[in-house]
Amino acid sequence: MDKNYITVDVEGLNPEKFINLAVINGLTLWDIERLSITNMRFNMKEKDFKQIRHIAKKTHCRVKIARKNGFIFLFRRLFKRIFFIIGLVIFVLLIYIFSNIIWNIEIVGNKVVNDQLILKSLNKAGLKVGTYKKNINLRDIENSLLKDIKELSMVTISLDGTKAKVEIVERTMPPTILDLEKPMNIVAAKDGILTKVIALKGQKLVKEGDFVKKGQILISGVIKDHENLPIDVTRALGEVYAKTWYESIKEVPLKYRYFERTGKCEKFIYFVLPNNKIIKLWSNINKFQFYDKIIEKEQVKLLGFNSPVTKVTEYYYEKIEKIKNLSYNEAIDVATNLADEELIKIMPKDIKILERKYDKILMKDKVRIRKLILTEEKISKEEEIK
């Protein structure tokens, strides 16, 4: 008998009649056995299976393949799963390849030297994201980093899976020594009314209470005699403090125009490769006239590891222009908030506030507010004498 055959179950009120008709029609059946009063089982060639369907219909029986026997059926099953097998092989290869690539560089221990400078030096020495681990000589890279960045006294690089850990010990650098022979003036960095003048070296040209303009010389490095003739040139040293001010004027109409989100949002996704090349999966066209734009970035993960590819998602939230009729008090509140926001942006954080002044003017169709903040701060800076 053929080594490649199928085992068939037939079920019906008269399975014997089915067997007899199959044999009469020239079909070869063997190892026929009764499973129950209504069930019988037999073996046959697979190519004959289609021919027994009309016999099953005549005898009101149901037939089904119980199992397939032989190498040819095993080969077919394997062939149907060939893509799965290929995918499995590729999966294993990718795991092996990605597990031997540096996907993350962690820098610890540095306080003065910034990460970007260290990463730039590592890149030049041959260690960067995407580098194959077998191509890395850790000791050579450590020595290169020490030669490249003088602020480092010791560098230790270790590999942990796909991560390179760079441990830094910084050198205690000597304090910066001023070149006292270099001619310098002390000048005003901004306008102000002087509150304190400390001249350690050089010729003081101003006094407390003077109003000075930006760029004006406060302590001169050029020393002059009583006849106003220069007798020496030096580096002026000192500090000068002054009263300064920050002002913001805002006008808000009573017929106030503003923007409000509609709830509609468009999302566009693209990928950025290490060479800054952008790959877009589809054309991104924002159809909104007014919108808020928010950008999110994340590293693409492959098999649980961060890859050098960045996924960028852009969100566009539609806005529409609206008009609201404000009362004078509401308009004043809006203008005040706008002025406060502007002052926060332009004022230094460590400034000393002396006084706040606030003026408002109500007009026919709008309000105007003026916020003035008086401060005291250091306004002196060095400027080379040319």
Side-chain angles (χ1 to χ4, degrees), residues 23 83 90 104 132 147 152 160 207 217 222 234 256 269 295 297 305 375:
V23 173
F83 293 108
I90 293 174
N104 184 31
Y132 203 57
K147 290 179 182 179
L152 305 182
D160 181 12
K207 63 183 183 300
I217 299 175
V222 179
T234 186
Y256 184 56
I269 299 174
I295 299 177
K297 297 181 179 180
F305 302 105
T375 65

Side-chain angles (χ1 to χ4, degrees), residues 244-261:
T244 58
W245 54 89
Y246 295 88
E247 183 183 47
S248 178
I249 299 174
K250 296 295 177 184
E251 289 186 356
V252 172
L254 298 180
K255 197 173 184 179
Y256 184 56
R257 296 177 181 270
Y258 66 101
F259 290 93
E260 187 176 276
R261 288 186 183 180

